[in-house]
Amino acid sequence: MKVAVVGGGWAGIAAAIALADAGHDITVFEMAPQPGGRARSIAGQDPARPYDNGQHILIGAYRDSLALMRRLGVDPEQVLKRLPLALPYPGEPGLRLPSGSPLLAFMRGVLAHRGWPLAARLGLLTAAGGWLARGFRCDTHLSVAELCAGLPACVKRDLVEPLCVAALNTPAPQASALVFLRVLKDALFSGAGSADLLLPRRPLSELLAGPAAAWLGERLRLGQRVQRIEPGWQVDGEGFDAVVLACTSVEAARLTAEIAPAWSSKAEILGFEPIVTVYLHSPGSALPAPMLALREGPDAPAQFVFDHGQLGGAPGRFAFVVSGAAPWVARGRCDEAVLSQALRELSWATPPVIDKVLTEKRATFACTPGLARPPAQIAPGLWAAGDYVDGPYPATLEGAVRSGLAAAQGIGTGAGTGAKGAAKGSPTKTP
Ligand SMILES: Cc1cc2nc3c(=O)[nH]c(=O)nc-3n(C[C@H](O)[C@H](O)[C@H](O)COP(=O)(O)OP(=O)(O)OC[C@H]3O[C@@H](n4cnc5c(N)ncnc54)[C@H](O)[C@@H]3O)c2cc1C
């Protein structure tokens, strides 16, 4: 089949490669001058030291993203630094999971956490045992804050809240407990190493988008924003047998407004959460670890800081991450607040200065309880892929890749092509 993939982020790349591997004739339309979407590098003054469009973390459980990298000849062990899950704070060792089976490691790590009173450690293990007994499922309308209401305050502050905002980019009172439990389940139950943190050692574009562009060659059309899709399927007037909409939810809603209005309105109503990344520069400085957790507060926006010098990147470059950043975007001067937080909480060899500030207002969809996400199939022959599409994961690289693979699978198996009864205007075979 001749298949159009609209959007060259991680979801579109995953769909395109799976479809090409299955023998289909693919064309990827990407409106930006480079692929990668939100997970891309941004040029800086020094061409050898680009910035990432926001610090990204992968975990060992990102099975399909890691397999896709390997498919493109990228060795995850080379481009990612693998560390056992640890949440050290400045001056405090924090929670550290030893190696071995993630579930046992979690129990051992919690019991060994000297920063928490014994009752708090036992309280967390009891709650986690309850989640396990219920298969990591809960009422869809429960928030993470409600799920964890009975946990000791120190556990909520040092573990639940930072993990929630890191994984779901949504503050615990507004975040879906069901999705949070699913992330915990995959991290703790996907075998050895699944809870490991995988921190990029190379610019983000080298992880997937660059190799994908080389692999796709002329099948990737850059700088081409798709304006219109018509049943048939016509993509800006060009005929295809099937289409994967792997663009953002906003663009997918626009492109389907006339051909699948019910689906379009589901995509249109999704809310968003921003992420602000503040890069500080401090020559000669180094953190005690490549990644530190920070305690956010009224004057402390960042929840995490990454030392790029320890990650094979630019020495003296530090990425401060402000997730769930809506209040800071509204308030402004987030960068200055981050600089003050950095000066207060960390030691520096030279005074840090603000190097670059990246604000992604629509970094991820707001992962709220009971959220009805749009399904993968829009109409026969028309599929959606993207981190927002209905699935168990929050907006993550792995969620994007899995949705791309699912769309390719749907098209490849003929599950959605040429059948009767499209949402509006059944597609006919293209000329
Ligand atoms: C600052 C930040 C930090 C993040 N941190 C993490 C993290 O630590 N771990 C993690 O797993 N995830 C993280 N994420 C989320 C992750 O980046 C996304 O989940 C993932 O990149 C989404 O991929 P996607 O392909 O679904 O969408 P996108 O990356 O948005 O790709 C969509 C593509 O479609 C293109 N497009 C849109 N409209 C059109 C059109 N009409 N025609 C042609 N092309 C079009 C866009 O240009 C874009 O390239 C972070 C995101 C941000 C912004």
Side-chain angles (χ1 to χ4, degrees):
M1 281 188 291
K2 199 177 161 202
V3 185
V5 178
V6 180
W10 283 44
I13 291 170
I17 287 169
L19 285 162
D21 278 347
H24 301 294
D25 173 11
I26 51 144
T27 304
V28 180
F29 296 88
E30 168 53 57
M31 70 181 203
Q34 78 288 311
R38 279 166 276 166
R40 68 180 186 282
S41 308
I42 292 179
Q45 277 182 338
D46 178 354
R49 307 264 187 226
Y51 298 87
D52 287 341
N53 177 46
Q55 177 71 47
H56 278 62
I57 316 176
L58 294 81
I59 59 168
Y62 279 16
R63 181 192 68 213
D64 289 317
S65 305
L66 299 174
L68 184 59
M69 289 162 71
R70 285 190 203 99
R71 168 69 189 84
L72 290 169
V74 178
D75 179 359
E77 302 303 325
Q78 293 293 321
V79 298
L80 299 167
K81 187 177 181 78
R82 184 179 276 272
L83 298 169
L85 179 65
L87 284 180
Y89 286 82
E92 301 170 35
L95 179 68
R96 272 172 197 281
L97 300 201
S99 53
S101 141
L103 188 62
L104 283 178
F106 177 72
M107 290 168 63
R108 286 169 52 206
V110 170
L111 285 173
H113 188 334
R114 300 250 173 80
W116 292 339
L118 182 61
R121 291 178 249 167
L122 295 176
L124 173 58
L125 290 179
T126 308
W131 299 336
L132 172 62
R134 288 186 290 279
F136 287 92
R137 295 199 58 81
C138 69
D139 187 315
T140 52
H141 293 283
L142 209 61
S143 72
V144 172
E146 287 165 339
L147 175 80
C148 300
L151 286 178
C154 58
V155 172
K156 286 192 270 194
R157 183 197 62 198
D158 294 349
L159 182 67
V160 174
E161 287 163 9
L163 270 192
C164 176
V165 87
L168 276 65
N169 189 30
T170 308
Q174 289 106 51
S176 162
L178 189 62
V179 177
F180 181 69
L181 286 177
R182 171 59 194 245
V183 174
L184 284 188
K185 176 176 176 239
D186 277 12
L188 296 176
F189 280 97
S190 309
S194 55
D196 288 353
L197 296 174
L198 308 178
L199 307 182
R201 279 156 56 151
R202 302 293 310 154
L204 211 41
S205 285
E206 290 184 25
L207 266 48
L208 196 76
W215 193 87
L216 289 166
E218 289 179 356
R219 292 174 291 184
L220 172 62
R221 297 194 201 161
L222 293 172
Q224 209 166 318
R225 181 183 181 210
V226 170
Q227 301 292 347
R228 190 168 170 79
I229 295 193
E230 290 161 282
W233 294 99
Q234 301 284 318
V235 175
D236 288 342
E238 187 177 343
F240 289 90
D241 297 307
V243 178
V244 178
L245 281 187
C247 45
T248 56
S249 59
V250 174
E251 279 287 280
R254 178 182 70 79
L255 290 166
T256 53
E258 285 176 19
I259 53 176
W263 188 94
S264 170
S265 41
K266 272 194 160 181
E268 196 179 11
I269 57 166
L270 291 175
F272 295 96
E273 283 284 348
I275 297 178
V276 181
T277 310
V278 180
Y279 288 99
L280 298 188
H281 183 59
S282 170
S285 296
L287 296 178
M291 176 187 120
L292 287 182
L294 300 170
R295 293 205 174 90
E296 76 174 300
D299 296 312
Q303 300 100 0
F304 292 96
V305 55
F306 296 79
D307 181 346
H308 280 222
Q310 290 188 51
L311 291 168
R317 180 182 288 174
F318 300 86
F320 287 74
V321 179
V322 185
S323 294
W328 282 100
V329 171
R331 187 170 148 182
R333 307 202 104 74
C334 182
D335 51 349
E336 288 172 17
V338 165
L339 181 59
S340 307
Q341 180 183 14
L343 287 166
R344 265 193 324 270
E345 298 183 21
L346 300 163
S347 308
W348 301 97
T350 56
V353 293
I354 297 168
D355 183 17
K356 195 168 193 66
V357 183
L358 296 171
T359 303
E360 271 277 357
K361 289 196 175 157
R362 289 180 183 153
T364 67
F365 68 86
C367 191
T368 49
L371 182 68
R373 289 156 64 177
Q377 189 173 10
I378 305 173
L382 180 61
W383 289 73
D387 60 358
Y388 69 91
V389 171
D390 193 20
Y393 265 49
T396 50
L397 299 170
E398 182 70 2
V401 167
R402 288 192 188 185
S403 79
L405 297 177
Q409 168 92 12
I411 286 173
T413 57
T417 44
K420 290 194 175 120
K424 188 179 168 196
S426 291
T428 52
K429 201 89 176 102
T430 47

